[in-house]
Amino acid sequence: MATPSLRRQENVPGPFFVDGTCIDCDACRWIAPEVFDEAGDKSRVHRQPESPEAKRKALRALVSCPTASIGTSEKEGLEEIASDFPLLVDGNVYHCGYHHKDSFGATSYLILRSGGNVLVDTPRFTMPLVRRLEAMGGFKWLFLTHSDDVADHEKFAKHFGCRRIIHEGDQSFETRGAEQVVKLETPVTLAEDLLAIPVPGHTRGSMCLLHKNYLFTGDHLAWSDRQKQLVAFRNACWYSWGELTRSMKKLSAYSFEWVLPGHGRRCFFPSGRMREELSQCIRWMEGA
């Protein structure tokens, strides 16, 4: 938990606070926007929780913080929060919480499905979450969207005996043990309802995972509350903006209603509207 002596002066008075170790990953601000916002390139508490639900969200942000930069003097309810994650997002998709500092606080998701569950990118390997994942049936696949967000993949693979999937463009010494390596840019059908779509750009081997109406995008595509549109990360493009733009156009061939990113905000639109939003994103990218 955060250190009171490092409490940022931008926090409003009260039990919850953010300390100076914050890395500005944004997780707390979308988990509990009623409590956290940004000030001075870091998060802060802009309003103390005013309801039980707001407090619960703030506690979820606390346990999810990758750098333990959130603190509170009111510990009541903290132990219960461990059982909140994985937290239902929609349908059979869950937010794993427990964001990892080595992934700069990226979001990990769990897909529950009869043919074997899927973990998308990795949260922290921490026993409260591991026990919950076990109770939910574990997972058959660990889909790694790109090299930035692999974090505790070895620990999860060893414990759950899952099949790790990564693109050869992002395979490294750290991920040399991955059981399945996707090659080239041809989409790969993993199962009837799981399609791996290579989208080089953010990194050379970035991939999206399409499951029914859900598109898991890693750092390829996200919603921006600030710009009020779908975006790619121009200032965090490690391979090629031109390739990223071309890869974005590739997604126009697919129908989906949810964008579920590692960084940035998730969003939902009916498929027709989502296609319009994606077209707007592409036009913006071409002019960036």
Side-chain angles (χ1 to χ4, degrees), residues 24 53 57 126 132 172 181 183-184 191 194 204 225 250:
D24 198 31
E53 179 58 22
K57 288 183 180 180
T126 183
R132 285 283 294 140
S172 64
V181 179
K183 299 182 178 181
L184 306 178
L194 295 171
R204 183 169 175 264
D225 276 351
K250 183 190 301 184

Short mmCIF file of all heavy atoms in Angstrom, two decimals, residues 24 53 57 126 132 172 181 183-184 191 194 204 225 250:
data_model
loop_
_atom_site.label_atom_id
_atom_site.label_comp_id
_atom_site.label_asym_id
_atom_site.label_seq_id
_atom_site.Cartn_x
_atom_site.Cartn_y
_atom_site.Cartn_z
N ASP A 24 1.34 6.99 -13.47
CA ASP A 24 0.37 7.56 -14.40
C ASP A 24 -0.12 6.54 -15.42
O ASP A 24 -0.28 6.84 -16.60
CB ASP A 24 0.97 8.77 -15.12
CG ASP A 24 -0.07 9.68 -15.75
OD1 ASP A 24 -1.19 9.76 -15.20
OD2 ASP A 24 0.22 10.30 -16.78
N GLU A 53 -20.67 2.07 -2.83
CA GLU A 53 -20.22 1.61 -4.14
C GLU A 53 -18.97 2.36 -4.59
O GLU A 53 -18.05 1.77 -5.16
CB GLU A 53 -21.34 1.78 -5.18
CG GLU A 53 -20.96 1.34 -6.59
CD GLU A 53 -20.53 -0.11 -6.69
OE1 GLU A 53 -20.90 -0.92 -5.80
OE2 GLU A 53 -19.83 -0.45 -7.66
N LYS A 57 -15.28 0.69 -5.41
CA LYS A 57 -14.50 0.94 -6.62
C LYS A 57 -13.11 1.46 -6.28
O LYS A 57 -12.12 1.09 -6.92
CB LYS A 57 -15.24 1.92 -7.52
CG LYS A 57 -16.47 1.35 -8.20
CD LYS A 57 -17.09 2.39 -9.13
CE LYS A 57 -18.31 1.86 -9.83
NZ LYS A 57 -18.91 2.89 -10.73
N THR A 126 -0.70 -13.32 -8.18
CA THR A 126 -0.92 -13.16 -6.74
C THR A 126 -1.99 -14.15 -6.30
O THR A 126 -2.96 -14.40 -7.03
CB THR A 126 -1.33 -11.71 -6.42
OG1 THR A 126 -1.48 -11.53 -5.02
CG2 THR A 126 -2.62 -11.31 -7.12
N ARG A 132 -9.03 -17.50 -7.33
CA ARG A 132 -10.29 -17.20 -8.02
C ARG A 132 -10.27 -17.78 -9.44
O ARG A 132 -11.27 -18.31 -9.93
CB ARG A 132 -10.51 -15.69 -8.06
CG ARG A 132 -10.94 -15.10 -6.73
CD ARG A 132 -12.42 -15.37 -6.47
NE ARG A 132 -13.25 -14.68 -7.43
CZ ARG A 132 -14.34 -15.19 -7.99
NH1 ARG A 132 -14.73 -16.42 -7.70
NH2 ARG A 132 -15.06 -14.49 -8.85
N SER A 172 10.79 -13.18 -27.86
CA SER A 172 12.10 -12.79 -27.36
C SER A 172 12.64 -13.91 -26.47
O SER A 172 11.99 -14.95 -26.29
CB SER A 172 11.98 -11.50 -26.53
OG SER A 172 11.18 -11.73 -25.37
N VAL A 181 3.45 -20.13 -31.71
CA VAL A 181 3.98 -18.89 -32.27
C VAL A 181 3.27 -18.61 -33.60
O VAL A 181 3.33 -19.42 -34.53
CB VAL A 181 5.50 -18.98 -32.48
CG1 VAL A 181 6.03 -17.68 -33.10
CG2 VAL A 181 6.20 -19.26 -31.16
N LYS A 183 2.84 -16.81 -37.11
CA LYS A 183 3.79 -16.29 -38.10
C LYS A 183 3.06 -15.49 -39.17
O LYS A 183 1.86 -15.63 -39.37
CB LYS A 183 4.58 -17.43 -38.72
CG LYS A 183 5.39 -18.22 -37.70
CD LYS A 183 6.20 -19.32 -38.35
CE LYS A 183 7.04 -20.06 -37.30
NZ LYS A 183 7.87 -21.13 -37.91
N LEU A 184 3.80 -14.64 -39.83
CA LEU A 184 3.29 -13.83 -40.92
C LEU A 184 2.14 -12.93 -40.43
O LEU A 184 2.00 -12.66 -39.25
CB LEU A 184 2.85 -14.72 -42.09
CG LEU A 184 3.94 -15.69 -42.59
CD1 LEU A 184 3.38 -16.57 -43.71
CD2 LEU A 184 5.17 -14.94 -43.05
N ALA A 191 -9.86 -21.37 -32.42
CA ALA A 191 -11.07 -22.16 -32.18
C ALA A 191 -12.18 -21.50 -32.97
O ALA A 191 -11.99 -20.42 -33.55
CB ALA A 191 -11.40 -22.21 -30.69
N LEU A 194 -12.54 -18.01 -31.70
CA LEU A 194 -11.32 -17.30 -31.33
C LEU A 194 -10.45 -17.10 -32.56
O LEU A 194 -10.00 -18.07 -33.17
CB LEU A 194 -10.53 -18.09 -30.28
CG LEU A 194 -11.16 -18.28 -28.90
CD1 LEU A 194 -10.32 -19.28 -28.08
CD2 LEU A 194 -11.29 -16.95 -28.16
N ARG A 204 6.18 -4.87 -33.74
CA ARG A 204 6.21 -5.65 -34.98
C ARG A 204 5.27 -6.85 -34.90
O ARG A 204 4.67 -7.25 -35.91
CB ARG A 204 7.64 -6.13 -35.25
CG ARG A 204 7.82 -6.90 -36.54
CD ARG A 204 9.29 -7.11 -36.86
NE ARG A 204 9.48 -7.95 -38.05
CZ ARG A 204 9.69 -9.26 -37.99
NH1 ARG A 204 9.77 -9.87 -36.81
NH2 ARG A 204 9.83 -9.95 -39.10
N ASP A 225 -11.18 9.12 -23.82
CA ASP A 225 -12.18 10.04 -23.26
C ASP A 225 -11.84 11.48 -23.61
O ASP A 225 -12.73 12.32 -23.77
CB ASP A 225 -12.26 9.87 -21.74
CG ASP A 225 -13.16 8.72 -21.33
OD1 ASP A 225 -13.86 8.17 -22.21
OD2 ASP A 225 -13.17 8.37 -20.14
N LYS A 250 -7.23 -3.14 -41.63
CA LYS A 250 -7.52 -4.56 -41.69
C LYS A 250 -8.72 -4.92 -40.80
O LYS A 250 -9.52 -5.81 -41.13
CB LYS A 250 -6.29 -5.37 -41.27
CG LYS A 250 -6.44 -6.87 -41.35
CD LYS A 250 -5.28 -7.60 -40.70
CE LYS A 250 -3.96 -7.26 -41.32
NZ LYS A 250 -2.85 -8.07 -40.72
#
